[in-house]
Amino acid sequence: MVLAQDESHGNEHIDLAPSIYRQRLVIEGRRELPIGDKDIQEYLSRLSDVCGMTLLIDPVTHRSDRFGWAGWVHWETSGAHFYAWETPLVFFSVDIYTCLAFEPSTAVSFTKSYFDATHITSRAF
């Protein structure tokens, strides 16, 4: 079997599976205080409810001495990853990927409020 290569350049995207619904949202923010293990676990659990997702396992977290905390939650319709830095600044990044529609603005508002973010930005695609 020979697979055709995508020879597009720039920002062009080819949907290779138009019959499968996919939605992504990246949320990034800054805040005053570092984010820890329990914060991430509770955030990902509550994000599941906010986005209307069915939780398959409790959130999993891990800390890297070099890069900081990371977390992941598995939903029936995909999941979300969370990353938190302490240096060079307190910063977080959330990557939500689902095969079930959800309202991005609700997830962004919840995230800003939950972390008391001083700055927040997002990109849905």
Side-chain angles (χ1 to χ4, degrees), residues 24-31 43 81-83 85 89-96 104-113 115-125:
R24 280 188 74 185
L25 174 65
V26 173
I27 306 168
E28 295 185 333
R30 294 178 57 186
R31 63 177 275 175
Y43 167 77
H81 290 93
F82 184 95
Y83 305 96
W85 288 258
L89 63 144
V90 178
F91 170 77
F92 63 87
S93 183
V94 184
D95 187 1
I96 301 169
S105 63
T106 303
V108 173
S109 294
F110 166 71
T111 302
K112 181 176 181 12
S113 174
F115 288 111
D116 194 24
T118 57
H119 299 84
I120 197 145
T121 187
S122 64
R123 179 173 180 230
F125 51 103

Side-chain angles (χ1 to χ4, degrees), residues 5-114:
Q5 290 186 352
D6 177 5
E7 297 181 15
S8 64
H9 300 285
N11 292 328
E12 192 174 330
H13 173 77
I14 298 171
D15 188 347
L16 298 177
S19 63
I20 300 173
Y21 180 83
R22 285 116 49 223
Q23 181 177 353
R24 280 188 74 185
L25 174 65
V26 173
I27 306 168
E28 295 185 333
R30 294 178 57 186
R31 63 177 275 175
E32 298 295 324
L33 300 173
I35 298 169
D37 178 43
K38 297 298 179 199
D39 297 322
I40 297 168
Q41 289 178 17
E42 182 181 339
Y43 167 77
L44 290 172
S45 287
R46 290 182 56 193
L47 180 67
S48 303
D49 293 333
V50 166
C51 293
M53 301 298 158
T54 301
L55 192 67
L56 292 182
I57 63 167
D58 288 333
V60 175
T61 59
H62 185 268
R63 178 169 173 73
S64 160
D65 290 334
R66 184 172 176 197
F67 295 106
W69 282 100
W72 174 73
V73 65
H74 187 190
W75 296 328
E76 184 175 53
T77 53
S78 300
H81 290 93
F82 184 95
Y83 305 96
W85 288 258
E86 295 173 9
T87 59
L89 63 144
V90 178
F91 170 77
F92 63 87
S93 183
V94 184
D95 187 1
I96 301 169
Y97 177 88
T98 75
C99 296
L100 178 67
F102 68 95
E103 178 53 52
S105 63
T106 303
V108 173
S109 294
F110 166 71
T111 302
K112 181 176 181 12
S113 174
Y114 183 86

